[in-house]
């Protein structure tokens, strides 16, 4: 069974910081890229940041310079450090991993954690 469990969401004032965590089990964590997505009310889910198994990172333009994604292989955990938060960052944040098994790619999601940024 694959499990992705997010934590760390909260209500914070604009300009504040939060660190989200995603604990992963059931996959070979070190072999898989991980991603953070977010979905605001009435909007489509969008990619916020991703990190490959080798540590290469990618960010949405809207969060570059403010958010940092990292991973800890010893803890099978991926993190999203969010600084200088803005009201437009308010969303449910989801952890994701796309796992290839033979010809098929399986998409795994956590349950999400709510981030609310007040102005």
């Amino acid at each position: 069974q694959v499990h992705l469990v997010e934590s760390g969401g909260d209500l914070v004032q604009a300009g504040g910081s939060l660190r989200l965590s995603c604990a992963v089990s059931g996959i070979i964590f070190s072999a898989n890229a991980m991603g953070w997505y977010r979905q605001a009310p009435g909007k489509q889910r969008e990619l916020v940041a991703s990190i490959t198994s080798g540590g290469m990172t990618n960010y949405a333009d809207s969060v570059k310079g403010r958010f940092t994604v990292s991973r800890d292989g010893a803890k099978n955990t991926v993190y999203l450090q969010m600084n200088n938060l803005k009201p437009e960052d308010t969303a449910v944040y989801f952890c994701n991993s796309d796992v290839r098994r033979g010809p098929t790619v399986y998409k795994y999601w956590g349950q999400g954690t709510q981030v609310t940024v007040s102005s």
Side-chain angles (χ1 to χ4, degrees), residues 32-105:
N32 289 284
M34 300 296 301
W36 284 99
Y37 287 72
R38 68 186 180 187
Q39 188 166 19
K43 294 188 177 181
Q44 288 190 330
R45 192 171 296 190
E46 62 175 355
L47 177 66
V48 175
S50 63
I51 183 166
T52 68
S53 57
M56 292 182 63
T57 58
N58 183 56
Y59 298 93
D61 287 343
S62 59
V63 306
K64 281 181 181 177
R66 300 188 298 122
F67 290 12
T68 303
V69 60
S70 62
R71 60 193 297 157
D72 184 337
K75 296 182 179 180
N76 282 12
T77 299
V78 61
Y79 302 98
L80 185 67
Q81 177 67 43
M82 306 186 294
N83 298 327
N84 190 21
L85 282 160
K86 303 176 180 181
E88 52 263 42
D89 295 318
T90 295
V92 179
Y93 284 70
F94 297 90
C95 180
N96 158 266
S97 183
D98 293 344
V99 179
R100 178 177 295 278
R101 294 195 176 97
T104 305
V105 176

Side-chain angles (χ1 to χ4, degrees), residues 7-42:
S7 61
D10 207 343
L11 170 64
V12 64
Q13 287 189 333
S17 298
L18 284 174
R19 188 176 82 155
L20 306 183
S21 300
C22 174
V24 182
S25 61
I27 63 172
I28 302 174
F29 180 76
S30 61
N32 289 284
M34 300 296 301
W36 284 99
Y37 287 72
R38 68 186 180 187
Q39 188 166 19

